[in-house]
Each structure stands twice: as C-alpha cells, then as structure tokens.
C-alpha cells in the first residue's frame, strides 16, 4: 500500500537529497545529534508520564489524583534514558531541569491535569486511506489526544524547541491542521489542536512562563482542507518518484544547498563526501543504519471515542 507521512512530505519539501537518503535509501544516523536526542528523550518521558496517567484513571479527577504516580514513572524513565547514554547538548538547557525543576519545570507547571483536561490517547497511531483505487494512505502518529473541560477533543503535539513558535510561524505550519483533518476523516470529532512547547534554550533566569507554553490552534475548515490537499498533492509527486528505479531517484534528488537547511541535516557529511566522489559506502556502513518503517493501525483506545 503506498503511504506518505507528514514527516516524509516535510523532508521532501525541505531538500530532495535529504528525502532520497532518508526515504529512498531508508538511512538514518546511528547516533542522533544532541539537539535531536533531547527531543526524542523528552518525548519518551512525556509518553511514559501520560500513559501511566491513563492506566490509573479514566476520569479527569482520577487522572489528576494519579499525578504523583505518573511523575514517579517519568523519573524512572529519565534515569533509564540517562543510563542508556543520553547526554545534554552543551548549548542547551539540561533536560532534567526543563522537565523536573520544582519551580519552572514542566511537571511543576503541568497544564492538562491541573485544569481538568482528560487524557484519551498517547502516541496514537493512525492510517487514513484516502484513495480506494490505489490504496494510497496517510500514516501519522499523534503525541496526545485530550478532552478539554467543555468536552471538546483536542490533538496535542509536544515540541522541544530552542524558542517558542510565534503566531506568524504557526499560521503556516501544516502539522496540526493535517492531524485535525485526518482524524475527522477517520470519524473522530477533533475540535482544535495545540503545540505543547518546552523551551530547551539556556536562560539566565528561567520561569514557568519562559520554560513552558501551550499554544492553542483553531484553524478554520478552509485552512484544514487546503493544508491536507497540499499533503495529497506532494504525496502523489513522491509516490510517482518511488515508482522509478533507485538510480533514477538518485539523479533527481537535487540538493537545496542552503545554510539553514544543511547545518542541521543529519546527512550533511554523507552529502558533502558524495559531492567530492569520496568513499560514501564506508560512511554508510560506519555512521548510518537502515531505518525501520513501522506499520500503522487505528489504536483500540481511539475507536469510537466519541462516547
């Protein structure tokens, strides 16, 4: 079944060469960059926390009462990630402080449970088939789905960011509108979305407000439809590319070669050596591995969730 995710579309639009390495050759670095590792570790800890909260309580009240147990699970997860080799980036705030500082940290100022919101799903996998003839689909993973105090369903995307997004930036970012549109198409009554942002930049005097920011997003129907139609258009372009031989894909994988794009690209070394006809096969074997692609199904906890 042909499928193209939001991440793949994002990679393709950012740089064709990056997309070729990541999705044509299915490569990923053996060791993540420090900044990427911070986001991965942070997401895992939030996943553990909110999963434990869901396990211990079905109502908003029960989930709030389970906060301490969830926090203990999050601390255990942090210790395990540290033992597995996680290290903070030199130019970023300590992840332990971002999450667990008793004054400004995320858990000390956790918004959802303390304001009567109910957690419905964590790291939920979905797959929207939008073309019956070709069986083309849009697979996606949602960090969290919650119910607000008014009974409205909200899709949440956790972001570990150097600086908080601005309204001007989120006016153009497609992720939340795509998720809302796809979830509605699957029969889930999602009302709006939010970026749950945690700042990783080192600050002289961090405060709860400078460390944590929940930005609510309520895109109108036109914004949702237009954004999702762009997803489908780019997905069709990518799918046509995948029907070519890998050699032909290689020839068409043009480089953006832009400072902003290249400086944070995990394939920068590979791309540079390849341009100079260096030994890319050796680099592939030592610094990269084949990325496993997961299959997506609708999770049972979200089936018929409009109770």
């Amino acid at each position: 079944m042909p499928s193209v995710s939001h991440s793949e579309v994002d990679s393709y639009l950012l740089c064709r060469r990056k997309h070729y390495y990541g999705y044509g050759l299915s490569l990923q670095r053996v060791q993540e960059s420090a900044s990427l590792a911070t986001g991965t570790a942070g997401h895992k800890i939030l996943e553990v926390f909110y999963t434990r909260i869901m396990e211990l309580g079905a109502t908003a009240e029960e989930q709030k009462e389970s906060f301490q147990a969830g926090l203990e699970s999050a601390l255990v997860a942090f210790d395990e990630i540290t033992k597995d080799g996680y290290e903070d980036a030199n130019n970023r705030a300590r992840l332990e402080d971002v999450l667990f500082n008793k004054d400004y940290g995320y858990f000390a100022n956790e918004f959802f449970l303390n304001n009567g919101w109910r957690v419905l799903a964590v790291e939920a996998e979905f797959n929207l088939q939008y073309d019956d003839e070709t069986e083309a689909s849009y697979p996606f993973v949602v960090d969290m789905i919650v119910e607000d105090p008014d009974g409205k369903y909200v899709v949440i995307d956790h972001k570990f960011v150097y600086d908080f997004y601005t309204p001007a930036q989120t006016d153009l970012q497609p992720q939340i509108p795509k998720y809302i549109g796809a979830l509605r198409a699957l029969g889930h009554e999602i009302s709006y979305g939010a970026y749950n942002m945690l700042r990783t930049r080192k600050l002289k005097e961090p405060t709860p407000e400078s460390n944590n920011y929940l930005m609510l997003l309520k895109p109108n129907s036109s914004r949702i439809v237009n954004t999702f139609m762009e997803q489908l258009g780019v997905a069709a372009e990518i799918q046509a590319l995948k029907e070519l031989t890998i050699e032909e894909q290689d020839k068409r994988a043009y480089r953006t070669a832009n400072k902003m794009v290249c400086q944070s690209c995990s394939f920068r070394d590979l791309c540079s050596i390849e341009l100079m006809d260096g030994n890319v096969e050796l680099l592939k074997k030592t610094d990269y591995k084949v990325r496993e692609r997961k299959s997506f199904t609708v999770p049972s906890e979200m089936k018929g969730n409009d109770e």
Side-chain angles (χ1 to χ4, degrees):
M1 177 189 298
S3 64
V4 180
S5 67
H6 164 77
S7 297
E8 182 169 2
V9 165
D10 191 46
S11 175
Y12 180 77
L13 292 176
L14 192 65
C15 176
R16 303 286 180 88
R17 198 71 195 169
K18 179 179 181 179
H19 174 266
Y20 167 71
Y21 292 138
Y23 293 90
L25 300 180
S26 296
L27 296 176
Q28 70 177 71
R29 289 200 78 98
V30 172
Q31 184 172 359
E32 293 179 320
S33 67
S35 58
L36 184 60
T38 296
T40 301
H43 269 82
K44 183 60 181 178
I45 292 165
L46 293 184
E47 176 188 352
V48 168
F49 173 78
Y50 286 111
T51 297
R52 185 62 176 151
I53 292 299
M54 281 183 58
E55 291 172 348
L56 296 175
T59 67
E61 292 77 13
E62 290 171 344
Q63 290 186 354
K64 184 176 181 180
E65 291 172 359
S66 303
F67 181 91
Q68 188 59 37
L71 182 59
E72 291 171 2
S73 294
L75 285 164
V76 170
F78 177 78
D79 287 342
E80 290 176 348
I81 288 170
T82 302
K83 289 176 183 177
D84 286 341
Y86 169 77
E87 295 181 356
D88 293 308
N90 291 330
N91 61 339
R92 298 295 175 99
R94 296 172 66 243
L95 181 59
E96 184 174 10
D97 290 335
V98 171
L99 290 169
F100 300 108
N101 183 278
K102 293 182 179 181
D103 295 320
Y104 61 81
Y106 178 81
F107 290 114
N109 301 276
E110 198 277 341
F111 176 85
F112 302 107
L113 303 182
N114 289 312
N115 287 277
W117 294 48
R118 182 166 69 105
V119 181
L120 300 175
V122 176
E123 287 297 311
E125 298 178 1
F126 298 91
N127 194 22
L128 172 64
Q129 183 174 312
Y130 54 83
D131 189 319
D132 292 336
E133 183 176 345
T134 65
E135 295 188 327
S137 66
Y138 169 56
F140 59 108
V141 179
V142 174
D143 288 341
M144 194 160 71
I145 297 175
V146 296
E147 181 183 30
D148 75 10
D150 295 324
K152 295 179 179 179
Y153 291 170
V154 188
V155 59
I156 305 296
D157 193 60
H158 304 310
K159 294 292 186 186
F160 287 77
V161 294
Y162 188 78
D163 277 320
F164 297 143
Y165 296 158
T166 65
Q169 290 172 324
T170 56
D171 281 347
L172 289 172
Q173 287 178 327
Q175 193 169 13
I176 290 294
K178 284 183 188 179
Y179 287 172
I180 293 173
L183 286 166
R184 287 178 181 175
L186 287 168
H188 303 297
E189 298 180 1
I190 302 297
S191 295
Y192 59 100
Y195 287 121
N196 183 32
M197 293 182 279
L198 292 80
R199 179 177 263 152
T200 60
R201 178 159 64 93
K202 285 184 178 179
L203 301 172
K204 289 184 178 180
E205 297 181 1
T207 64
E209 294 75 20
S210 66
N211 189 72
N212 316 284
Y213 179 30
L214 183 68
M215 177 182 278
L216 302 182
L217 301 172
K218 299 182 179 182
N220 61 29
S221 297
S222 295
R223 166 76 157 103
I224 292 169
V225 170
N226 290 336
T227 299
F228 201 76
M229 291 306 295
E230 285 193 357
Q231 163 75 27
L232 301 189
V234 179
E237 191 173 312
I238 291 173
Q239 202 55 52
L241 184 66
K242 289 179 178 179
E243 292 176 2
L244 302 175
T245 65
I246 197 67
E247 291 77 16
E248 282 299 317
Q249 291 182 46
D250 185 0
K251 292 176 182 177
R252 300 176 187 218
Y254 305 117
R255 293 168 171 82
T256 297
N258 174 281
K259 178 183 177 182
M260 295 299 294
V261 173
C262 296
Q263 67 182 1
S264 59
C265 181
S266 57
F267 300 110
R268 181 178 57 188
D269 294 342
L270 178 60
C271 187
S272 177
I273 290 175
E274 193 173 51
L275 271 175
M276 297 182 288
D277 285 331
N279 192 344
V280 294
E281 293 306 317
L282 177 61
L283 187 63
K284 286 178 186 178
K285 291 178 181 178
T286 56
D287 287 24
Y288 295 89
K289 61 183 179 180
V290 175
R291 178 172 53 86
E292 295 182 7
R293 299 195 70 176
K294 62 170 69 176
S295 58
F296 288 80
T297 57
V298 179
S300 58
E301 63 266 28
M302 283 304 297
K303 291 179 180 177
N305 66 350
D306 33 338
E307 44 197 23

